[in-house]
Amino acid sequence: MPPHHDGALDARIAADPRYVALVRDRQRFSWALTAITVIVYSSFISLIAFDKPLMARPIGGGTISLAVVLGAAMLAGTVAICAVYVWRANGSYDARLAELLGSLDS
């Protein structure tokens, strides 16, 4: 059974300056992380497209190329970006929303 939907409460939440600030802060942070991800991925693809000899260069005289190392680092960075977002959401955004909702209940 879906939860009871109260349009008046939704309107009060949407009009609250704390909620507006929360949404703005979350969007800014999300866009910043998105920009970092796009820059990293497009830089990687650009290096592959425009400097194949550099990307094919073996690391430390071994058989693993720079492209493999950078690709693995890029994947690890993506996981790190997701972890940073979850940490921020759980630590800041959820607490701010809970405080807002708690103040509206009273």
Side-chain angles (χ1 to χ4, degrees):
M1 181 173 211
H4 178 65
H5 186 71
D6 183 0
L9 179 60
D10 290 351
R12 283 178 49 209
I13 292 169
D16 192 296
R18 294 171 295 175
Y19 182 73
V20 172
L22 172 63
V23 169
R24 182 191 63 236
D25 293 349
R26 187 187 57 82
Q27 285 177 336
R28 282 184 185 158
F29 189 64
S30 296
W31 279 113
L33 295 180
T34 299
I36 291 168
T37 302
V38 167
I39 289 167
V40 168
Y41 273 79
S42 60
S43 297
F44 181 73
I45 296 301
S46 294
L47 280 171
I48 290 172
F50 300 114
D51 200 347
K52 287 177 183 60
L54 173 68
M55 296 299 275
R57 186 174 299 154
I59 297 295
T63 58
I64 296 177
S65 70
L66 180 59
V68 171
V69 172
L70 291 178
M74 190 173 57
L75 290 172
T78 301
V79 171
I81 284 175
C82 288
V84 166
Y85 181 82
V86 169
W87 173 77
R88 179 104 175 241
N90 290 341
S92 174
Y93 303 142
D94 289 353
R96 288 168 64 186
L97 184 59
E99 179 184 328
L100 170 66
L101 293 174
S103 71
L104 292 175
D105 285 339
S106 39

